[in-house]
Amino acid sequence: MSCGSRQLAALLGPGLCLARGGLGATPSVQHHFIVSLWQWQRQWQQQNRTPSRRWASTALRKRSRTAIFFPGQGVQRVGMTIPWLEAFPTTARPILEEIDHILQYPLARIIADGTNADLTATENAQPAIMATSIMILRILEKEFGFNTTDRVDFTLGHSLGEFAALVAGGYLRNEDALRMVHKRAQAMARCSRRACEEGGGTYGMVAVVCEPDRLEPMIESIHEFLGHSSIGAKVDSSAEVPTIQQVLIANINSKNQIVLSGRIERIKTLLTHLRQFAGHDPRAITLKSEVPFHSPLMKPAVKVMRRMLDERSDMVTYPTSIPCVSNVTARAYRSRGELKDLLARSCAETVLWAESIRYLDQEEKVRRWIGIGPGKVGRNLVGKEVGMRGRDIVKGGGVWGISDPREIEDIMRALELTEQAAEEEEE
C-alpha cells in the first residue's frame, strides 16, 4: 500500500465500508466518507504543494506595474475566516491565535461564529477586517510563494484598509497596526456616542450617486453649501456651524459616487439644496453605519492616533521598498513625519480613493490590481475607475480580488499570463 493510500485509509476509517459495501452504507457513513475524502484531498494538496517557481523566484521578470489594495469597513461578515482556516490550517491558525493574543480578547471567535451585531460593532469590525486581510496576504506568501517585496510596486487601502497596506509595505508591524486600529475604532465609536448624547439626532453616512459628468459640479455645489472653499480646507471650515452639525464628503469613491458623513438631518438638508437650487438630482443611499466616519465629529480620534503614533520612535519604519499611497493626498508618503501626520488626520478627512486610483493608473502606469481581503467592493471600485471589470485580463494587466481560497489558483494563473504578455510585448 502506498503512503498516500495508507493516509487515505487512516482518515476514512468506517467510511471504507462504503467502498466495500456500495450503496448499502448508511447515510451517516456516506457523509463521513465524503467529508473524510475531502479532508484527505486537502491534506495531500498541502503536503505536496510546492509554490509556483515563477512566484517563489527572487529573479525578477519583466512585468506590468502592480498594486495591491485592501478594503475598508463594511465588508465584514461572520465566518469570513473559516474557509481560510479549513484550506490552510497550518498557516491560518497561528495567525488567528496571534490576533487574540495581541488584542487580549477573543476576536477570532467573534469573526468565526459571533453574532452579526457583535462583529459589526466598530471596535470589532475594524480590527477583524484588517486582521483577515493580512492573514490572506500571509497565506499567499507562505502557501504560494508570492513575494510581496519583489512583485508589488504600490500598496494602498480604502480608509481602514490603509493600515493593512502599511503593514504589507513594511511601514508598520502587524501587531502595532492591529492595536492601533482597535484603539482608533474605540475612539471613533466614542465620538459617535458622544455626539448622540450631546446633540441628539441621528448620525451616519449616505452614498450619493450621479452621472460621471455631473460629479465635479456636484462636489463644488456641496462645498459651497458647506462653506468649504476647497477640499483641503474642509476640516477647519464651517466655523459658524457647530461641529456636531457639520457634514463632510467622507469618500470620493469613483467617477460617479461620493459618500457624505455626519448628522443625517443636515445631510438631508444638503440633498434638498442640491435638488432644488443647484440643478442636481443624485440618487442617495443611506449606508448601514451609525458612525459618521471621516467627518469633523472624528477630531478626537485624530488626537488618539497622534498619541499612538508618537508612543515609540520606531513605531513607523520609513522608507521601505514599496511606496504606499495616502488616502488624504492620493499620493505616496514622502517622509516618516508626513506618514504620521496624514495617517492621524485620515480619521476626519476625505478618502480620495478615486483620485488615488487615477494617479496610479495614469501617472504611475499601474496595470495589475490585486485586491486582498473580504468582499468585492474594492475590486469593483478599482475596476470601474480603470475600465476593467473583475477578472478581466488585458494584455499585461487586470483587476482581481482575493477573498476566498477558491479564487487563488485562477488569479495566480492570470498573473502569470500577464507576465508572459509583458515579456512578449517587450520582445
Side-chain angles (χ1 to χ4, degrees):
M1 182 180 291
S2 69
C3 178
S5 299
R6 286 195 298 271
Q7 290 176 326
L8 178 58
L11 272 169
L12 295 185
L16 282 173
C17 70
L18 180 62
R20 294 168 180 163
L23 295 177
T26 65
S28 62
V29 171
Q30 292 178 17
H31 174 76
H32 176 83
F33 176 81
I34 293 168
V35 170
S36 298
L37 184 60
W38 180 85
Q39 290 174 337
W40 175 82
Q41 182 184 33
R42 291 303 309 167
Q43 284 188 18
W44 187 91
Q45 290 173 342
Q46 290 291 324
Q47 293 168 3
N48 292 275
R49 176 190 287 119
T50 56
S52 166
R53 291 183 181 179
R54 183 184 303 273
W55 293 102
S57 173
T58 56
L60 295 182
R61 302 176 57 180
K62 172 67 178 178
R63 59 172 175 76
S64 301
R65 305 199 86 186
T66 304
I68 56 174
F69 58 93
F70 299 88
Q73 190 160 346
V75 300
Q76 70 278 352
R77 64 177 179 83
V78 174
M80 61 188 175
T81 55
I82 291 176
W84 298 97
L85 183 58
E86 291 177 343
F88 308 103
T90 57
T91 300
R93 184 172 287 109
I95 294 174
L96 294 173
E97 291 173 351
E98 184 185 28
I99 293 168
D100 291 354
H101 176 72
I102 292 170
L103 297 180
Q104 293 296 295
Y105 79 101
L107 179 61
R109 182 190 57 77
I110 293 172
I111 299 172
D113 58 11
T115 66
N116 188 61
D118 284 342
L119 183 59
T120 302
T122 300
E123 51 268 46
N124 292 328
Q126 290 196 11
I129 293 165
M130 191 213 117
T132 303
S133 299
I134 293 300
M135 179 190 69
I136 295 173
L137 176 63
R138 298 307 181 220
I139 288 172
L140 284 176
E141 292 172 340
K142 185 172 181 180
E143 301 282 348
F144 293 87
F146 184 86
N147 190 318
T148 302
T149 302
D150 288 346
R151 298 295 173 180
V152 174
D153 299 289
F154 293 92
T155 69
L156 68 162
H158 188 282
S159 184
L160 159 73
E162 188 168 331
F163 286 87
L166 288 165
V167 172
Y171 298 88
L172 294 176
R173 298 179 185 87
N174 182 54
E175 56 269 29
D176 289 335
L178 195 57
R179 291 191 191 96
M180 205 177 295
V181 164
H182 187 224
K183 291 181 180 179
R184 171 183 184 266
Q186 290 175 320
M188 287 180 157
R190 285 196 300 270
C191 290
S192 185
R193 287 194 295 268
R194 187 179 299 116
C196 292
E197 293 167 0
E198 295 178 0
T202 304
Y203 298 83
M205 306 179 80
V206 176
V208 181
V209 182
C210 65
E211 293 300 318
D213 62 345
R214 300 293 295 163
L215 184 67
E216 288 191 19
M218 185 176 72
I219 289 175
E220 287 302 316
S221 296
I222 291 171
H223 287 160
E224 290 174 8
F225 177 83
L226 297 176
H228 304 159
S229 59
S230 69
I231 203 162
K234 56 191 172 291
V235 172
D236 297 320
S237 62
S238 300
E240 73 282 0
V241 179
T243 299
I244 208 164
Q245 296 182 25
Q246 287 179 24
V247 169
L248 187 68
I249 297 177
N251 306 352
I252 302 178
N253 281 334
S254 69
K255 61 185 70 176
N256 72 328
Q257 183 202 106
I258 64 172
V259 176
L260 299 172
S261 180
R263 191 183 179 104
I264 296 297
E265 181 182 1
R266 186 158 170 81
I267 291 176
K268 290 180 178 178
T269 302
L270 167 56
L271 292 171
T272 299
H273 171 83
L274 290 175
R275 292 179 177 122
Q276 292 185 355
F277 304 107
H280 299 284
D281 188 24
R283 182 163 59 98
I285 306 154
T286 302
L287 303 181
K288 294 180 181 179
S289 171
E290 296 180 356
V291 179
F293 302 112
H294 306 290
S295 76
L297 286 166
M298 296 294 112
K299 286 181 180 179
V302 175
K303 295 179 181 178
V304 170
M305 281 295 300
R306 290 196 191 282
R307 286 198 299 270
M308 286 190 290
L309 286 163
D310 287 335
E311 279 180 3
R312 296 198 323 265
S313 59
D314 65 343
M315 184 70 78
V316 173
T317 298
Y318 189 95
T320 73
S321 60
I322 309 176
C324 181
V325 176
S326 165
N327 280 184
V328 176
T329 62
R331 295 295 184 273
Y333 289 111
R334 298 173 297 182
S335 69
R336 178 185 284 103
E338 183 183 63
L339 191 158
K340 293 167 67 174
D341 176 53
L342 295 179
L343 188 60
R345 286 167 48 192
S346 67
C347 294
E349 297 203 24
T350 304
V351 174
L352 301 180
W353 185 250
E355 187 176 338
S356 298
I357 302 304
R358 285 196 297 270
Y359 161 67
L360 292 178
D361 178 48
Q362 297 172 14
E363 297 186 33
E364 298 294 347
K365 308 302 180 186
V366 168
R367 292 296 174 263
R368 302 196 303 182
W369 307 81
I370 308 170
I372 298 175
K376 299 298 184 187
V377 175
R379 184 198 71 183
N380 294 338
L381 288 175
V382 171
K384 182 187 296 186
E385 205 60 39
V386 302
M388 290 185 284
R389 296 170 300 171
R391 293 196 178 185
D392 275 1
I393 299 177
V394 299
K395 193 167 185 178
V399 179
W400 303 276
I402 303 176
S403 59
D404 187 283
R406 294 169 294 185
E407 298 165 330
I408 297 180
E409 296 286 357
D410 287 344
I411 291 173
M412 287 301 185
R413 280 194 292 270
L415 291 172
E416 291 195 8
L417 287 174
T418 59
E419 290 203 354
Q420 292 170 9
E423 288 178 339
E424 290 168 4
E425 186 175 0
E426 186 182 28
E427 292 172 1

